């Protein structure tokens, strides 16, 4: 067993040395990656290989990630402004749905797999990154806690003030397309990318902002 390991390690070391002798260019690496994707992935059910295509903001953020440097602030603001233009504001001016539906949606990470149907409603997956209801014991911490959201953002104090309206709009925008406010956010661009519908986004708005929602108790 030990001898086999030694042989394997020697082979890997030899391969690494051989690799250094003729380092592929970044164009070669891009082509190799595209070829691997083409030969290894295929459409299945509702999941299409095209989900691997990246848009400009993904490409710029990935490059910054690889370089280990944050985006230049002017570039970040320009990209955010582009994303801001993708947001559709509710035509009837009504941002609030049903917090009870919002709670179920926030807890569900279901959807977007090949065995789902085109009309399957996806979950919002919010609990995977955020605390919401203080009574909930299972939640992720990649995003900030949203417990007491309306209170911490000053909406409950005076729901009709211009400041509260600005928060309502920001919250809608954040759920619609998180990158409009933080260029390389890891939060999914939920409505923009068709993960959830506008009606579902309204239910999540109520979960965050309705005074009766468990989030605000
Ligand atoms: C993969 C992790 C992830 C998921 C899933 C996620 N978020 Fe976020 N969210 C974040 C992060 C990280 C931030 C902090 C700001 C940023 O980087 O965009 C954030 C910020 C927010 C904010 C702004 C908070 C503030 O005080 O300004 C709101 C509102 C929000 N998320 C709501 C949601 C809702 C609703 C869902 C479910 C549809 C959700 N998030 C799903 C990671 C996530």
């Amino acid at each position: 067993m030990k001898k086999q390991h030694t042989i394997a390690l020697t082979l890997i070391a030899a391969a690494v040395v051989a690799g250094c002798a003729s380092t592929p260019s970044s164009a070669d690496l891009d082509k190799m990656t595209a070829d691997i994707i083409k030969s290894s992935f295929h459409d299945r059910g509702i999941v299409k290989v095209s989900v691997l295509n990246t848009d400009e903001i993904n490409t710029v953020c990935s490059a910054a990630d690889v370089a280990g440097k944050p985006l230049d602030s002017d570039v970040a603001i320009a990209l955010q402004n582009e994303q801001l233009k993708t947001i559709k504001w509710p035509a009837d001016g009504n941002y609030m749905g049903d917090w009870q539906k919002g709670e179920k949606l926030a807890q569900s990470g279901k959807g977007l797999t090949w065995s789902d149907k085109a009309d399957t409603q996806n979950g919002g997956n919010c609990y995977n990154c955020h605390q919401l209801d203080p009574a909930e014991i299972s939640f992720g911490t990649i995003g900030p806690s949203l417990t007491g959201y309306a209170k911490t953002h000053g909406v409950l104090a005076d729901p009709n003030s211009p400041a509260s309206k600005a928060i309502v709009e920001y919250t809608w925008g954040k759920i619609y397309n998180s990158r409009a406010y933080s260029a390389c956010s890891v939060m999914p661009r939920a409505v923009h990318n068709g993960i959830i519908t506008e009606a579902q986004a309204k239910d999540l708005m109520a979960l965050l902002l309705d005074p009766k929602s468990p989030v605000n108790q």
Side-chain angles (χ1 to χ4, degrees), residues 7 10 18 24-25 36 43-44 53 66 68 73 76 79 93 98 104 113 133 138 147 170 173 175 177 180-181 188 213:
I7 293 169
T10 313
S25 70
I36 291 169
D43 292 350
R44 188 159 185 191
N53 295 345
V66 170
S73 63
L79 288 169
D98 175 343
K104 281 199 199 106
T113 59
D133 179 346
S138 169
T147 301
Y170 158 72
I175 295 173
N177 183 346
Y181 306 90
S213 157

Side-chain angles (χ1 to χ4, degrees), residues 160-206:
N160 296 316
S161 71
S164 293
K165 284 190 180 136
I167 289 294
V168 169
E169 282 175 14
Y170 158 72
T171 308
W172 175 262
K174 190 74 193 163
I175 295 173
Y176 199 107
N177 183 346
S178 55
R179 291 190 164 191
Y181 306 90
S182 168
C184 296
S185 174
V186 296
M187 176 166 156
R189 291 178 278 174
V191 185
H192 177 68
N193 281 341
I195 300 168
I196 60 170
T197 64
E198 285 189 28
Q200 287 179 307
K202 288 186 181 184
D203 294 335
L204 292 169
M205 289 288 286

Side-chain angles (χ1 to χ4, degrees), residues 35-199:
D35 288 346
I36 291 169
I37 288 174
K38 219 167 162 191
S39 58
S40 316
F41 293 88
H42 54 270
D43 292 350
R44 188 159 185 191
I46 61 159
V47 183
K48 310 292 176 208
V49 179
S50 59
V51 297
L52 295 169
N53 295 345
T54 50
D55 60 4
E56 190 207 349
I57 198 166
N58 275 334
T59 311
V60 175
C61 290
S62 299
D65 213 21
V66 170
K69 282 192 216 142
L71 285 190
D72 175 81
S73 63
D74 289 345
V75 173
I77 289 169
L79 288 169
Q80 284 166 205
N81 285 340
E82 281 304 308
Q83 297 295 301
L84 201 57
K85 285 187 209 151
T86 69
I87 298 171
K88 289 200 197 88
W89 309 95
D92 58 1
N94 178 21
Y95 288 89
M96 297 300 158
D98 175 343
W99 68 258
Q100 277 161 314
K101 285 189 194 164
E103 173 75 334
K104 281 199 199 106
L105 191 58
Q107 279 165 343
S108 166
K110 281 196 175 157
L112 300 173
T113 59
W114 65 269
S115 52
D116 290 316
K117 303 278 170 283
D119 60 357
T120 303
Q121 285 224 320
N122 303 316
N125 206 23
C126 319
Y127 271 106
N128 253 345
C129 294
H130 294 287
Q131 181 181 28
L132 286 147
D133 179 346
E136 181 64 62
I137 51 167
S138 169
F139 54 86
T141 52
I142 293 172
S145 169
L146 302 176
T147 301
Y149 188 83
K151 215 181 287 169
T152 54
H153 289 72
V155 176
L156 286 184
D158 180 2
N160 296 316
S161 71
S164 293
K165 284 190 180 136
I167 289 294
V168 169
E169 282 175 14
Y170 158 72
T171 308
W172 175 262
K174 190 74 193 163
I175 295 173
Y176 199 107
N177 183 346
S178 55
R179 291 190 164 191
Y181 306 90
S182 168
C184 296
S185 174
V186 296
M187 176 166 156
R189 291 178 278 174
V191 185
H192 177 68
N193 281 341
I195 300 168
I196 60 170
T197 64
E198 285 189 28

